[in-house]
Amino acid sequence: AGNLARHKCTHSGERPYACDKPGCGYSATTAGHLATHKRTHSDERPFPCDEPGCSYSATTASNLKEHKHTHSGERSYACEEPGYRYRTTQPGHLTTHKRTRRAAVR
């Protein structure tokens, strides 16, 4: 499929690439996304951490990039709400912080 056909899937909701693992139910808009998803059903983790002594390997390059922040101490995800100085290495942790903060305000 061409770029335009792939892009149209984002509007139509079409997900023509289905996972063949019984009971999974996942489908994707691109073959590449399906290939990445299939790693969740296997032990394939082709992105190893190169930090000495670290045995972590990731299923995606972006997961490895996030993991590397745990070694560098870089906390590049920050709460932008005035009065909060929360910073973290993981975008998901920032999302949880924001949800918790909103719940506390109610």
Side-chain angles (χ1 to χ4, degrees), residues 46-92:
F47 300 93
C49 182
D50 57 5
E51 184 73 21
C54 183
S55 60
Y56 180 84
S57 287
T59 56
T60 66
S62 60
N63 286 354
L64 176 60
K65 183 179 176 184
E66 276 186 32
H67 164 78
K68 286 188 169 196
H69 291 302
T70 64
H71 297 299
S72 70
E74 179 185 351
R75 296 178 179 273
S76 54
Y77 301 96
C79 181
E80 297 172 356
E81 190 69 29
Y84 287 90
R85 294 175 26 184
Y86 181 80
R87 296 184 72 81
T88 183
T89 60
Q90 306 287 323

Side-chain angles (χ1 to χ4, degrees), residues 18 25 42-43 47:
S42 73
D43 291 332
F47 300 93

Side-chain angles (χ1 to χ4, degrees), residues 20-43:
D20 56 4
K21 177 85 171 176
C24 177
Y26 178 86
S27 60
T29 56
T30 68
H33 289 157
L34 177 60
T36 298
H37 162 77
K38 285 186 169 189
R39 291 184 193 136
T40 65
H41 298 302
S42 73
D43 291 332

